[in-house]
């Protein structure tokens, strides 16, 4: 299909295609079920609820607004070895592109099993699978195509043919991932993982008899935390993804300052920054207290899109709630945090 132009500014600045983006969060570490299915159930607690909101390139006609909400928990804890973890999770995802011209919604379910590799549970290897139902809808009445561009503006007729004013497509999607995490002393932690999305390469089209297969997306992630002083930590993480010829590499870290000197129930203030190669600098601030972790980032665009975006790459907010066990003797898992 020819490129779909929502507005002239998008045409000149973005070249927006008629395909919604995969979830692309600057705080990738705060959206576990969109990062790697193997992260399902990979946390220290009873259950986890996570939410994310991102508004990308708001000055360019609300180019992308993305929302996710997820819930995951460990199951069968009394039926598996002590430091193993069997996780189940559910994910809801919504993405509006081009000021609502293209809507992408998905619901996913994931399962993961993490096997302890040593008797203390310091090292684990996990594998996860995720199935999703995806629905996309295009509002043809709100768009203009490149073949309508004439010397006097977008006034020509398009050769694109659609079966209706609002067209939709839906399909089943399959994702999988693997994750290793470890610790040398129970305080530090490091992890490395890989995930593959759109394994079944589902067909997408808004036109009759014209289809293309959605390209698989490979994602590699790694990170860790190192204890500094009494109860303070330095967190580091990196993420690389590749889909077709598009790549995305983000690296960075944050310093966690423990302000109440509690090891078991800390109140932490996070200050740090990430860098997305060729695109943006991403300052980060966060607050962790009780069972909540709140994070905020703002992409400062430094790429060739600066004139179009006014250096406003995107604001993002994350919230994670982890229910802590009431049993003081409950097993404690050594899990990645960023």
């Amino acid at each position: 299909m020819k490129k779909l132009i929502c507005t002239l500014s998008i045409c000149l600045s973005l070249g927006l295609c008629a395909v919604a983006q995969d979830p692309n969060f600057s705080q990738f570490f705060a959206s576990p079920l969109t990062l790697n299915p193997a992260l399902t159930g990979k946390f220290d607690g009873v259950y986890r609820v996570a939410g994310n909101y991102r508004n990308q390139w708001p000055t360019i006609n609300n180019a992308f607004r993305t929302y996710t909400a997820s819930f995951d928990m460990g199951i069968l804890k009394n039926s598996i070895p002590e430091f193993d973890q069997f996780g189940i999770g559910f994910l809801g995802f919504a993405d509006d592109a081009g000021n609502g011209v293209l809507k992408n919604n998905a619901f996913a379910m994931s399962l993961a099993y993490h096997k302890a590799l040593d008797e203390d549970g310091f090292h684990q290897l996990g594998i996860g699978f995720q199935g999703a139902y995806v629905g996309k809808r295009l509002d043809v009445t709100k768009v203009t195509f490149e073949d309508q561009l004439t010397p006097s503006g977008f006034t020509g007729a398009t050769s694109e043919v659609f079966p209706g004013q609002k067209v939709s497509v839906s399909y089943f999607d399959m994702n999988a991932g693997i994750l290793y995490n470890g610790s040398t002393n129970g305080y530090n932690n490091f992890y490395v993982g890989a995930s593959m999305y759109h394994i079944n390469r589902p067909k997408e089209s808004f036109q009759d008899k014209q289809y293309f297969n959605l390209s698989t997306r490979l994602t590699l992630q790694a990170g860790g935390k190192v204890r500094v002083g009494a109860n303070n930590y330095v967190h580091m993480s990196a993420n690389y993804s590749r889909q077709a010829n598009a790549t995305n590499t983000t690296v960075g870290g944050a310093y966690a300052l423990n302000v109440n000197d509690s090891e078991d129930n800390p109140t932490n203030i996070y200050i740090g920054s990430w860098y997305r190669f060729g695109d943006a600098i991403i300052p980060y601030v966060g607050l962790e207290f009780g069972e909540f972790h709140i994070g905020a980032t703002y992409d400062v665009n430094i790429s060739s899109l600066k004139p179009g975006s006014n250096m406003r790459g995107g604001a993002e907010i994350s919230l994670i709630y982890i229910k802590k066990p009431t049993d003081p003797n409950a097993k404690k898992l050594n899990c990645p945090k960023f």
Side-chain angles (χ1 to χ4, degrees):
M1 182 188 295
K2 297 177 181 178
K3 286 184 179 179
L4 176 64
I5 309 301
C6 301
T7 62
L8 179 59
S9 63
I10 294 181
C11 176
L12 297 176
S13 303
L14 299 179
L16 178 65
C17 298
V19 183
Q21 64 174 2
D22 275 0
N24 183 23
F25 290 108
S26 294
Q27 296 178 59
F28 55 88
F29 45 82
S31 182
L33 299 194
T34 63
L35 179 63
N36 189 334
L39 286 168
T40 304
K42 191 60 176 170
F43 61 93
D44 187 29
V46 180
Y47 61 83
R48 172 174 60 184
V49 180
N52 309 82
Y53 168 75
R54 176 175 176 81
N55 188 0
Q56 182 174 338
W57 299 323
T59 59
I60 312 178
N61 202 29
N62 290 318
F64 293 107
R65 287 176 297 177
T66 308
Y67 318 78
T68 66
S70 66
F71 172 88
D72 62 327
M73 62 183 295
I75 59 175
L76 303 178
K77 294 186 178 183
N78 295 325
S79 302
I80 58 178
E82 181 181 4
F83 292 108
D84 288 11
Q85 181 82 333
F86 190 9
I88 184 172
F90 303 92
L91 168 71
F93 161 76
D95 182 73
D96 292 344
N99 205 22
V101 171
L102 182 61
K103 294 183 179 293
N104 179 17
N105 299 290
F107 176 78
M109 176 180 176
S110 56
L111 292 170
Y113 193 89
H114 306 272
K115 179 64 180 176
L117 304 179
D118 64 301
E119 61 182 11
D120 297 316
F122 282 1
H123 302 270
Q124 291 183 326
L125 182 65
I127 185 170
F129 298 92
Q130 185 180 77
Y133 176 80
V134 181
K136 299 183 179 182
R137 191 183 72 168
L138 174 67
D139 190 345
V140 182
T141 64
K142 296 180 179 180
V143 300
T144 308
F145 297 89
E146 62 182 355
D147 62 352
Q148 294 177 258
L149 181 61
T150 67
S152 59
F154 283 97
T155 60
T158 180
S159 61
E160 302 288 347
V161 179
F162 296 92
Q165 296 301 308
K166 293 182 179 180
V167 290
S168 60
V169 61
S170 59
Y171 52 82
F172 173 78
D173 204 1
M174 186 68 190
N175 315 310
I178 188 171
L179 179 78
Y180 164 79
N181 82 285
S183 175
T184 60
N185 56 17
Y187 291 100
N188 61 19
N189 183 272
F190 48 90
Y191 69 92
V192 60
S195 53
M196 181 73 74
Y197 287 77
H198 319 307
I199 294 174
N200 56 325
R201 298 204 62 193
K203 292 181 178 180
E204 282 192 339
S205 177
F206 290 115
Q207 294 177 310
D208 293 334
K209 300 179 181 179
Q210 295 187 31
Y211 295 95
F212 73 93
N213 292 99
L214 188 60
S215 298
T216 57
R217 173 168 60 92
L218 171 67
T219 302
L220 307 176
Q221 58 276 166
K225 67 175 183 180
V226 178
R227 193 172 186 177
V228 180
N231 291 310
N232 302 326
Y233 287 87
V234 172
H235 298 261
M236 299 161 287
S237 62
N239 184 41
Y240 168 85
S241 66
R242 183 180 185 89
Q243 187 172 18
N245 293 322
T247 60
N248 188 340
T249 304
T250 305
V251 299
Y255 179 78
L257 175 64
N258 187 314
V259 296
N260 66 349
D261 291 326
S262 173
E263 181 178 339
D264 296 327
N265 190 27
T267 296
N268 291 319
I269 296 176
Y270 293 86
I271 300 176
S273 181
W274 273 257
Y275 174 70
R276 185 181 300 113
F277 283 80
D279 181 41
I281 297 172
I282 310 166
Y284 169 81
V285 293
L287 175 64
E288 181 182 23
F289 59 97
E291 299 172 318
F292 292 90
H293 189 149
I294 302 171
T297 53
Y298 192 89
D299 295 9
V300 180
N301 188 257
I302 59 173
S303 72
S304 57
L305 283 176
K306 283 191 298 183
S309 67
N310 292 325
M311 295 188 72
R312 293 174 59 186
E316 189 174 311
I317 298 173
S318 68
L319 172 64
I320 294 179
Y321 172 81
I322 297 179
K323 176 63 177 177
K324 295 184 178 180
T326 56
D327 182 3
N329 297 318
K331 66 179 182 181
K332 185 175 178 62
L333 296 178
N334 188 39
C335 300
K337 204 166 190 177
F338 273 78

